[in-house]
């Protein structure tokens, strides 16, 4: 395959933050004395804040969501201050893309301030000029809008882009945009139905896609 650009999801793909978010969420629910059923946190992976909150409210209609979000946010920041690790192979694949002189972008379901904070903490803030956050689009993943906008900002046809994702929701978004999709599962199970390849890590995925 010949690609003209590469677009990455952020959480769980470039950064090892999904596990942190889950730990923070578990802390918040436990603090409020709530038991979370098995698989519930999996349903929140890859989705935007509003979608996630709608699923939480549907399960716990009387929940004090302001308190939940405060607890979740405080625990997340505590964990982030301990350091946000990159996923395996991030530095190598970004260096390889730069050597190929291919433009690259991020398409994330995080808000812009959160995305920039995490990129800075992980030492990646200077590696991406284009970051499409959820507040840049009218429709979040699994709609194709984030990936379509990323391709537009890169000045490349979506069908000429390679996308890396960790979640079913994100893969569906990139696939709907017409991109070649590599899915690298992180914390939540995936079917792979929206991926051209599945791999254990970024470098293996890049190899399967013919980027490396």
């Amino acid at each position: 395959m010949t690609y003209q650009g590469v677009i990455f999801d952020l959480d769980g793909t470039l950064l090892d933050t999904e596990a942190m978010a889950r730990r923070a969420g578990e802390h918040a629910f436990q603090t409020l004395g709530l038991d979370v059923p098995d698989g519930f946190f999996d349903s929140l992976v890859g989705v935007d804040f509003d979608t996630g909150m709608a699923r939480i409210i549907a399960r716990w209609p009387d929940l004090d969501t302001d308190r939940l979000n405060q607890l979740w946010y405080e625990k997340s920041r505590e964990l982030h201050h301990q350091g946000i690790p990159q996923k395996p192979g991030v530095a190598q694949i970004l260096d390889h893309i730069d050597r190929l002189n291919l433009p690259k972008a991020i398409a994330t379901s995080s808000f812009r301030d959160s995305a920039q904070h995490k990129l800075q903490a992980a030492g990646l803030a200077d590696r991406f000029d284009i970051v499409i956050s959820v507040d840049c689009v009218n429709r979040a993943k699994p709609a194709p809008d984030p990936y379509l906008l990323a391709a537009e900002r890169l000045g490349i046809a979506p069908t000429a882009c390679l996308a890396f994702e960790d979640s079913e929701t994100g893969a569906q978004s990139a696939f709907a945009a017409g991109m070649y999709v590599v899915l690298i599962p992180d914390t939540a199970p995936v079917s792979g139905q929206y991926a051209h390849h599945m791999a254990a890590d970024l470098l293996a995925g890049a190899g399967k896609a013919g980027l490396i």
Side-chain angles (χ1 to χ4, degrees), residues 43-168:
S43 73
L44 305 181
V45 173
V47 303
D48 63 290
F49 177 81
D50 290 342
T51 299
M53 287 308 303
R55 293 176 181 177
I56 290 171
I57 292 169
R59 179 64 179 79
W60 293 279
D62 299 324
L63 177 63
D64 183 347
T65 54
D66 288 340
R67 179 60 175 154
L68 176 76
N69 288 328
Q70 178 187 13
L71 291 166
W72 202 324
Y73 174 82
E74 290 174 352
K75 187 63 175 180
S76 292
R77 282 300 169 123
E78 176 188 324
L79 295 172
H80 290 174
H81 284 315
Q82 297 172 15
I84 296 180
Q86 300 174 11
K87 297 291 284 187
V90 167
Q92 295 95 316
I93 195 170
L94 294 182
D95 288 345
H96 180 72
I97 292 169
D98 288 344
R99 286 193 294 271
L100 294 175
N101 200 30
L102 291 176
K104 56 189 184 301
I106 287 174
T108 176
S109 291
S110 290
F111 289 110
R112 174 164 292 277
D113 288 348
S114 177
Q116 295 292 355
H117 160 76
K118 287 180 281 192
L119 285 167
Q120 186 71 42
L124 293 176
D126 63 344
R127 301 302 302 263
F128 293 91
D129 293 327
I130 296 173
V131 178
I132 303 302
S133 55
V134 71
D135 27 9
C136 294
V137 295
N138 292 324
R139 298 185 303 166
K141 300 175 185 178
D145 301 36
Y147 279 99
L148 291 174
L149 181 57
E152 179 183 328
R153 295 278 176 85
L154 291 175
I156 298 169
T159 53
C161 293
L162 173 63
F164 287 91
E165 270 285 353
D166 73 292
S167 71
E168 197 85 21

